[in-house]
Amino acid sequence: MSATELIASFITSGRLYGVGIGSNLMELQQAINFDFVDVVDEDGDSMRRDYGFIEFYLNSGQSWSVSGGSIELHRLATRNDMADRWRAAMRDDFPQYLAWDELYGVLSKLPTPPALQYIDQGDFQEYRSSATKVSVLVNNDHEVRDEWLGHGDVWSVSLG
């Protein structure tokens, strides 16, 4: 599956590699076989599992459960080595840049495209699926893409 198709699936289902809100830590570990860093807050109530440009947020309780997550595509603009390592481990090819128009094109071809609410955030445009609680942030400045994201490039895709 291309990364664009994977992201489209994430937007429409609220699940990334089968992991979504309410998934437990064991399910996350089984779904993603990649190096990570766990960052636990000082109270031990929440944790961020950081895979580089993909993160999941978990809350404690009887067991750690997923409360959200994100694909931080902007990190790939200057660190494409992260995408190379991800491709080797997970077999998904994330691009250095992803234009919203390209992602929207994939979404619009789905049998049931998601309803997206548009929110102008100044420096960003947000497209949010209230059904799945997934938001896409798109760079809204007027710069041309160079070593950094340009106007219309996807900044991140977040669940929560």
Side-chain angles (χ1 to χ4, degrees), residues 57-158:
Y57 315 110
L58 299 101
N59 292 327
S60 66
Q62 290 186 339
S63 66
W64 290 102
S65 64
V66 172
S67 61
S70 64
I71 306 171
E72 301 292 333
L73 290 169
H74 61 92
R75 293 182 182 172
L76 299 178
T78 57
R79 296 276 321 271
N80 205 37
D81 60 309
M82 284 193 252
D84 293 340
R85 290 191 341 260
W86 193 266
R87 182 182 319 106
M90 298 294 293
R91 310 247 190 310
D92 291 312
D93 193 11
F94 281 86
Q96 185 174 10
Y97 306 98
L98 176 61
W100 167 245
D101 289 345
E102 181 182 344
L103 178 56
Y104 186 75
V106 171
L107 286 168
S108 65
K109 291 178 184 171
L110 294 173
T112 309
L116 299 173
Q117 177 186 9
Y118 171 77
I119 304 163
D120 185 348
Q121 303 243 353
D123 289 344
F124 295 98
Q125 298 169 336
E126 179 180 358
Y127 298 91
R128 179 164 179 78
S129 169
S130 57
T132 61
K133 298 182 172 81
V134 176
S135 291
V136 180
L137 283 182
V138 178
N139 187 9
N140 197 29
D141 68 21
H142 297 286
E143 294 185 26
V144 176
R145 183 190 293 165
D146 52 19
E147 294 177 6
W148 193 239
L149 295 136
H151 178 77
D153 284 331
V154 176
W155 181 268
S156 65
V157 184
S158 302

Side-chain angles (χ1 to χ4, degrees), residues 17 27-28 30 33 51 87 95 108 129 144-145:
Y17 295 105
E27 292 167 322
L28 177 57
Q30 290 173 345
N33 183 21
Y51 294 97
R87 182 182 319 106
S108 65
S129 169
V144 176
R145 183 190 293 165

